[in-house]
Amino acid sequence: MALHFARPEYLLLLVLLPLAWLVARRLRTLGAGRKTTILALRTLILALLVLALAQLEWRSRAKDLTVYFLLDQSDSIPAELAERSTELVQEFMQRKTPGDEAGIIVFGREPSVETYASTTAEFDGKINSTVQGVRTDIQQAVSLALSAFPNDRLKRLVLFTDGNENSGSSLEVARLARNSNVALDLVPLRYDERQDVQIDKLIVPQQIAADTPFEIKAFLSSATNTSGRLRLYRDGELIVDQEVEVAAGRNPPLIIPQRLEEGGFHNYRATFEVPGDSRTQNNRAEAFTHVKDEPRVLYVEGDQTNRNYLTAALRAEKIQVDFASASEIPYSLSEIQSYDSIILSNVHASSMSRDQMKMFERAVHDLGVGLVMIGGEDSFGAGGYQDTPIEDALPVTMDVKQKKVLPNGALAIILHTAEIPQGNAWARDISIAALDVLSAQDYFGLIYYGPKPGQGFGGGAGSIVETWSWEPGMQQTGNKREMRSIIRGIQPMDMQVFDPTMEIAYQGLKDIKAQAKHIIIISDGDPAPPKQTLANAIRDEGITISTVAIAPHHGQTVETMERLAYWGGGEFYYPKSATELPRIFIKEASIVRRSLIYEERFDPVYDAPSEITAGFFDLPALEGYVVTSDKELATIALRSHKDDPLLAHWRYGLGKTVAFTSDAKNKWASDWVQWTGFSKYWSQLVRWSMRETSSSNFQVNTELRGGKGIVTLDAVDIDGDFRNFLEFNANVIGPDMEPQPLTVRQVAPGRYQGEFDADEVGTYMLSMRTGEDEQPELITSGVSLSYSPEYQAVRSNDEFIDRIAKESNGTVVGSGYNPFERNLPPTERPRPLWPWLLLAGLLLVPADVFVRRVYLDWGDVAAGIRKYAGSVFGIFRKGPDVEQRSESMGSLFAAKSRAKQTDEERQAAAAQQQDRSALRERLAQQAQEKQGEPSVFTEEGRGQAPARVQGKQTVSASDASEEKPSGGLAGLKKAKERARKKM
């Protein structure tokens, strides 16, 4: 136990004490006693403040012990060692003594507290926390434990690990534990090489010329001599299948010769199958290559019967076109990278997931791929692209706001509890998906059988009803955020009949002014069918009905749902999986947006100059288009007769996008497909949208090393000379589709290098742009992390375990280890005193002010105290002698007071009496002059005794004579009191 200063340098401020004394000595107007008091107070205040600034602490040694067990739950730990770890923790917990605390933290990629440290902690050997095992991050686990320790106890960490760390830096946190006086002991989870074969990496040249031979190298390693089957796939197609002998350790690369004729990006994937392999996660690898060739376009057509018009036009202009249906839309960025532009013609939004849409948007913005959307009944807002990533990329918006007469629709959804896993959650998700399709002018309502919104199941009688989710039922979707919030709180229940909810939908829709009205019913078909009269009334009102059968119990219920859709003139859906539901509802919700389609003959109107329309003067008429709105900064090259965008384009990030709101087939563009300029127009449009590739000789190599991606770029000009001092605008798009900036610096003549994080398994696509905006040069590349480094570990890393123990001054434990043994360095428990010192110093400041400003007559104070004490004690006295005792005590006090009077006090009292006498004379004279009577203090009034006025009472001279001072100190005090009253 001892006192300690956390900031001892502030003790130097004590040299200011003489200054305080000097200031106190200059208080000359005060008496010696008061100056001494002030000097003492100021000395004490300054000393207290200095001690507070120095952070004075009282330190005592901690005796209680807290232990945290850190259990490695990563995938590199064999199952038997993971089980042995929990058994050891159980054994250790039994050695805990009263007062000891124990806690458990499990970790893999991230840590999680299984049990917080407490004296009552118990462990049954079962781990309830879930952590990702694809990585091992010891640093985060130790950091979490250090932050969870109490301050006033002995501290110990017991770390169970195989030492195969692949994230973070445990050595740094080991030093932190040592400096924090925390013991870090390690329980090694040792294992030798297992029966494991892995593909270390697959190397493919990143850029090759068409029809040029090249080599693919597959690097394999194995714990033992074995054999297995190697398969190599190119763009999903099997091209190599052969038996391979593998020796123990790292093997020389297996070389596979290849030749490619088709341009674009190509994906290679290798697998290696070995019987009895302990881990299969590391038996695969991927790589990419890019073949320089003529530009290629992916054309996706929603209406395959009319695909030949545009395909033939583009190929006639020497553009390579790959056709795909809506079901064949790519799922990965590496597939999209094979193309310089993507055409979506009359493709409904329900044909793609939101992740696919996000992939298209990232491909345009960060990889420079072009995007062209062509209209049709299932395109733009009519196709459900409202509030989607693709809408973000296009130069037009689906939300039509500026028109005086707004085309709108109305949608009502009837929800019946779905007897599938998380049925109500799916009901909420699909309702929100349908809501997102609608514009701010469309009407939306949600009907279900269940508790009223906001009441829950305990709402009392009548709370379970057929009801709207909000009142009034049909509302325009201007405030989608509030609607989403309400939808997330609904709880549909099992309704018995369809009639009530369908009647509510019918009454809500029939009075709405909308160009399209639609009802969607999701149910298992169990409720009793609606009356035919109700179905007829809904149909006669122009309201359509579509149904979705979810988990029906038998064929009759399926027929009920199918018959409802037939009556309502809508579609019937029988999805096999709940994952199909959002797309169904997006498609159905877009039916009410068919009001955005204008079908009448018109001539296109030129608006802004454009490279796409350059050279065209007379364009044929069109029969229809989808209504959209301009976006700021977009170029509107052509407009309709109603001033709506017909042809719009802009630059979006590194790419370009085009919107043509009419179609490219013989429905709305029947005159165009017969026009001689049809091929030239569309080829000119598509070429403008294509990715701007580099014409210079750039060689790019990308590899993964230690959780990082390393990109190296060599730049030369057409003469073979190095290109120096280039500046790159580079991005990397990881598996999460979120771009991260990439810094590329020159490291040698003509060589540039960059580094990015590559922790997630998946594909990383790179784009690097240099040059002026008018003539940019775009370089693209890609790399794939096939599996986590966690699966590369084939044995425990005992050397690294020893190094952690050395850095932390810990121990590698053996048999007989007791984590609750108090053999730790002494730990002091700090108790800060400076807050109390600071408070005391601040409280003494008013005392200093009081002593300087206020003078106290200590004799009067003592007399007052005695008088008060006498009166208090007198309360407890009884009998007739109390008054006599009080009088005698008063006489004694008066005598004592008179004895203490000094000559100076008598002279002062006499002077005061003279002043008061003069004042009385002046007052009396003024009163006489006003009343016309002589004053008793003048010669004329001498001997008379008139009455004098005091307030509203009169006092005779004889009475006044009784008030004259009787002489001595008692008289002076009475005169003093009378003078105070008159003043």
Side-chain angles (χ1 to χ4, degrees):
M1 298 183 182
L3 292 174
H4 176 78
F5 293 100
R7 303 293 300 273
E9 61 270 19
Y10 282 101
L11 293 176
L12 295 175
L13 294 176
L14 291 174
V15 299
L16 299 177
L17 283 176
L19 180 61
W21 298 336
L22 180 62
V23 173
R25 290 184 59 187
R26 298 181 63 180
L27 300 173
R28 299 174 181 174
T29 59
L30 303 179
R34 293 168 69 188
K35 286 200 292 185
T36 302
T37 303
I38 292 173
L39 178 60
L41 284 173
R42 293 186 176 179
T43 301
L44 182 58
I45 291 171
L46 183 58
L48 290 172
L49 294 178
V50 170
L51 294 176
L53 288 173
Q55 297 185 19
L56 181 63
E57 298 175 342
W58 175 259
R59 291 193 171 185
S60 59
R61 289 192 174 181
K63 298 180 180 179
D64 298 325
L65 175 63
T66 298
V67 177
Y68 265 107
F69 298 99
L70 310 181
L71 298 181
D72 191 341
Q73 298 289 295
S74 63
D75 291 346
S76 64
I77 304 296
E80 61 275 12
L81 289 182
E83 183 178 354
R84 178 56 183 160
S85 298
T86 58
E87 293 174 355
L88 282 175
V89 172
Q90 284 182 290
E91 295 178 11
F92 291 155
M93 294 279 273
Q94 295 175 0
R95 301 176 187 177
K96 186 164 62 71
T97 60
D100 290 340
E101 292 182 346
I104 300 173
I105 293 176
V106 297
F107 68 95
R109 180 172 186 168
E110 71 285 334
S112 176
V113 178
E114 174 73 15
T115 304
Y116 281 100
S118 68
T119 56
T120 59
E122 296 181 356
F123 182 54
D124 59 1
K126 296 180 180 179
I127 300 295
N128 297 315
S129 300
T130 301
V131 295
Q132 297 184 50
V134 295
R135 292 276 179 173
T136 301
D137 194 329
I138 299 174
Q139 179 181 8
Q140 286 196 60
V142 175
S143 298
L144 177 61
L146 293 177
S147 64
F149 272 123
N151 292 327
D152 54 353
R153 301 176 68 90
L154 299 173
K155 306 165 190 175
R156 172 176 278 130
L157 293 175
V158 182
L159 174 62
F160 293 76
T161 183
D162 63 352
N164 287 311
E165 178 185 54
N166 44 56
S167 290
S169 176
S170 58
L171 297 179
E172 292 183 7
V173 80
R175 300 184 193 102
L176 178 61
R178 178 189 62 198
N179 297 334
S180 302
N181 214 17
V182 177
L184 177 57
D185 297 337
L186 290 96
V187 180
L189 304 178
R190 295 190 174 96
Y191 56 91
D192 294 326
E193 292 184 351
R194 297 175 289 183
Q195 177 62 34
D196 185 49
V197 179
Q198 65 184 28
I199 301 178
D200 296 325
K201 56 185 175 180
L202 186 69
I203 296 181
V204 180
Q206 300 224 329
Q207 288 185 341
I208 57 176
D211 202 24
T212 301
F214 64 96
E215 293 180 344
I216 297 176
K217 297 179 181 179
F219 291 82
L220 293 85
S221 61
S222 175
T224 59
N225 295 332
T226 186
S227 63
R229 181 160 292 278
L230 178 71
R231 293 184 173 91
L232 182 66
Y233 300 83
R234 182 182 64 218
D235 300 328
E237 180 183 355
L238 180 65
I239 59 174
V240 174
D241 186 357
Q242 65 184 51
E243 191 75 17
V244 176
E245 298 288 336
V246 181
R250 296 186 181 275
N251 287 254
L254 180 64
I255 298 177
I256 305 171
Q258 285 286 292
R259 181 191 296 265
L260 283 172
E261 297 180 358
E262 294 184 1
F265 269 80
H266 295 275
N267 170 260
Y268 285 91
R269 176 170 56 90
T271 63
F272 193 64
E273 298 178 6
V274 178
D277 196 3
S278 60
R279 285 183 298 191
T280 59
Q281 296 94 333
N282 55 12
N283 288 20
R284 63 188 303 273
E286 291 188 27
F288 302 93
T289 187
H290 180 237
V291 180
K292 296 180 180 179
D293 198 2
E294 294 297 321
R296 297 174 66 203
V297 173
L298 176 64
Y299 171 31
V300 183
E301 175 62 65
D303 182 7
Q304 296 190 47
T305 60
N306 292 306
R307 71 180 188 178
N308 292 329
Y309 294 108
L310 189 57
T311 304
L314 295 177
R315 288 176 177 170
E317 294 292 324
K318 310 301 181 183
I319 296 177
Q320 297 190 43
V321 180
D322 291 345
F323 178 80
S325 65
S327 61
E328 298 171 327
I329 295 175
Y331 281 88
S332 68
L333 273 177
S334 59
E335 295 178 80
I336 293 180
Q337 272 286 71
S338 300
Y339 302 99
D340 295 287
S341 188
I342 310 291
I343 301 173
L344 300 177
S345 175
N346 200 32
V347 177
H348 200 281
S350 61
S351 302
M352 291 179 279
S353 67
R354 197 167 186 89
D355 287 341
Q356 284 177 293
M357 294 187 189
K358 184 69 173 177
M359 178 185 65
F360 276 104
E361 187 266 340
R362 290 292 93 190
V364 175
H365 189 275
D366 297 303
L367 301 179
V369 177
L371 177 64
V372 178
M373 178 171 278
I374 302 175
E377 302 92 334
D378 292 330
S379 190
F380 296 101
Y385 285 95
Q386 174 90 23
D387 294 332
T388 64
I390 286 184
E391 184 191 23
D392 295 338
L394 292 175
V396 294
T397 177
M398 319 304 168
D399 199 1
V400 183
K401 298 178 180 180
Q402 78 276 15
K403 301 184 70 66
K404 294 180 180 180
V405 179
L406 298 175
N408 66 347
L411 173 67
I413 296 179
I414 298 176
L415 294 178
H416 177 192
T417 183
E419 297 180 12
I420 57 176
Q422 298 181 331
N424 282 349
W426 278 109
R428 292 188 288 267
D429 289 345
I430 60 181
S431 300
I432 291 174
L435 171 64
D436 288 341
V437 173
L438 305 179
S439 72
Q441 289 75 40
D442 294 325
Y443 287 87
F444 183 59
L446 194 63
I447 310 164
Y448 66 99
Y449 174 74
K452 290 183 178 179
Q455 289 190 354
F457 292 96
S463 63
I464 309 300
V465 295
E466 294 87 358
T467 183
W468 293 103
S469 291
W470 48 74
E471 295 294 343
M474 297 301 297
Q475 287 189 16
Q476 287 186 309
T477 61
N479 191 351
K480 288 187 178 182
R481 178 177 298 180
E482 182 179 349
M483 287 184 169
R484 291 188 191 100
S485 177
I486 295 174
I487 291 172
R488 292 188 181 101
I490 63 173
Q491 294 290 340
M493 298 176 66
D494 193 10
M495 61 185 179
Q496 304 301 314
V497 293
F498 280 117
D499 274 332
T501 52
M502 291 182 63
E503 180 68 30
I504 292 173
Y506 169 61
Q507 295 297 332
L509 285 170
K510 73 175 185 176
D511 295 329
I512 294 294
K513 293 183 179 180
Q515 297 184 19
K517 302 177 182 180
H518 190 53
I519 298 174
I520 308 175
I521 302 175
I522 176 172
S523 174
D524 58 10
D526 278 351
K531 298 181 179 65
Q532 184 67 47
T533 55
L534 176 60
N536 292 339
I538 293 175
R539 185 176 57 192
D540 293 343
E541 194 65 32
I543 302 172
T544 56
I545 302 174
S546 291
T547 60
V548 183
I550 300 295
H553 297 292
H554 46 78
Q556 185 176 353
T557 58
V558 176
E559 291 178 3
T560 300
M561 299 295 289
E562 193 170 7
R563 193 179 303 115
L564 269 174
Y566 175 76
W567 286 343
E571 296 288 337
F572 166 69
Y573 299 92
Y574 189 1
K576 303 302 181 183
S577 171
T579 56
E580 301 176 41
L581 292 175
R583 294 189 183 185
I584 291 174
F585 275 72
I586 289 172
K587 182 177 181 180
E588 285 298 307
S590 62
I591 289 177
V592 303
R593 305 225 65 200
R594 295 293 173 88
S595 57
L596 295 175
I597 298 175
Y598 277 170
E599 291 187 304
E600 57 185 39
R601 189 174 182 83
F602 69 95
D603 291 321
V605 179
Y606 285 95
D607 191 357
S610 169
E611 298 177 43
I612 296 176
T613 57
F616 297 99
F617 302 100
D618 294 319
L619 297 174
L622 293 165
E623 302 290 342
Y625 66 98
V626 184
V627 180
T628 59
S629 295
D630 306 2
K631 276 187 182 178
E632 190 178 357
L633 302 181
T635 299
I636 311 300
L638 297 175
R639 290 190 181 273
S640 72
H641 61 305
K642 293 184 177 294
D643 203 36
D644 295 317
L646 178 63
L647 173 63
H649 59 81
W650 72 350
R651 180 179 290 277
Y652 183 71
L654 298 181
K656 302 173 184 177
T657 64
V658 183
F660 186 75
T661 58
S662 188
D663 64 12
K665 47 185 180 285
N666 62 352
K667 182 176 183 180
W668 293 342
S670 56
D671 290 354
W672 280 54
V673 297
Q674 301 174 17
W675 174 41
T676 57
F678 184 73
S679 297
K680 183 180 179 182
Y681 171 84
W682 282 109
S683 65
Q684 199 160 295
L685 184 152
V686 171
R687 289 187 191 279
W688 181 88
S689 70
M690 285 183 178
R691 175 168 42 196
E692 299 166 337
T693 55
S694 171
S695 59
S696 300
N697 189 9
F698 288 101
Q699 295 294 328
V700 184
N701 180 57
T702 308
E703 61 176 330
L704 298 173
R705 188 169 58 240
K708 298 288 185 181
I710 311 297
V711 56
T712 304
L713 184 146
D714 293 308
V716 296
D717 57 22
I718 57 177
D719 297 325
D721 296 328
F722 292 126
R723 297 184 63 188
N724 298 316
F725 311 113
L726 297 178
E727 294 184 358
F728 292 91
N729 180 10
N731 285 312
V732 178
I733 304 177
D736 58 355
M737 294 297 166
E738 293 298 327
Q740 56 174 305
L742 173 64
T743 301
V744 179
R745 297 185 177 91
Q746 185 167 2
V747 295
R751 170 161 290 192
Y752 301 83
Q753 199 169 78
E755 181 179 288
F756 58 92
D757 294 329
D759 290 335
E760 300 288 338
V761 175
T763 302
Y764 294 83
M765 302 306 301
L766 294 81
S767 67
M768 294 169 283
R769 182 182 181 186
T770 186
E772 301 296 333
D773 291 339
E774 293 76 13
Q775 294 180 337
E777 296 178 282
L778 184 63
I779 307 101
T780 59
S781 183
V783 68
S784 177
L785 178 60
S786 305
Y787 54 86
S788 169
E790 187 72 20
Y791 305 115
Q792 292 179 341
V794 295
R795 65 178 67 85
S796 58
N797 194 339
D798 298 336
E799 295 180 0
F800 191 72
I801 292 175
D802 293 335
R803 189 176 175 187
I804 295 176
K806 181 179 178 181
E807 292 292 336
S808 65
N809 283 343
T811 59
V812 179
V813 304
S815 60
Y817 171 71
N818 180 12
F820 295 98
E821 184 178 357
R822 285 172 170 75
N823 56 352
L824 302 176
T827 300
E828 293 183 339
R829 177 187 304 173
R831 297 185 183 275
L833 301 178
W834 63 266
W836 300 103
L837 298 176
L838 180 62
L839 178 61
L842 295 177
L843 291 177
L844 286 177
V845 172
D848 175 82
V849 176
F850 181 81
V851 173
R852 286 190 292 108
R853 298 291 184 182
V854 180
Y855 172 77
L856 293 178
D857 188 339
W858 294 103
D860 289 346
V861 173
I865 293 174
R866 286 191 291 271
K867 182 177 180 181
Y868 176 75
S871 63
V872 171
F873 290 128
I875 295 174
F876 299 99
R877 294 193 181 96
K878 298 181 180 180
D881 60 337
V882 173
E883 185 176 349
Q884 296 176 2
R885 292 178 182 175
S886 297
E887 291 177 356
S888 59
M889 288 296 293
S891 299
L892 289 172
F893 283 137
K896 188 173 182 180
S897 179
R898 287 193 297 271
K900 288 185 175 181
Q901 292 293 333
T902 63
D903 292 338
E904 293 179 356
E905 290 172 337
R906 291 192 186 95
Q907 292 175 4
Q912 290 178 359
Q913 181 61 30
Q914 291 176 2
D915 293 339
R916 294 191 185 97
S917 298
L919 179 60
R920 281 200 301 273
E921 289 178 1
R922 288 196 298 271
L923 292 174
Q925 186 176 359
Q926 293 173 1
Q928 181 182 8
E929 292 174 353
K930 290 180 181 181
Q931 298 177 4
E933 296 180 359
S935 173
V936 295
F937 298 102
T938 62
E939 293 294 335
E940 293 82 357
R942 195 180 303 279
Q944 300 180 15
R948 53 188 174 88
V949 180
Q950 291 183 348
K952 292 184 180 182
Q953 298 177 349
T954 58
V955 182
S956 64
S958 59
D959 295 333
S961 64
E962 295 177 1
E963 297 178 5
K964 291 182 179 180
S966 58
L969 294 177
L972 289 174
K973 289 184 177 180
K974 290 181 179 180
K976 184 177 180 180
E977 293 297 325
R978 287 196 298 273
R980 285 180 179 171
K981 291 179 180 179
K982 292 180 178 180
M983 291 290 290

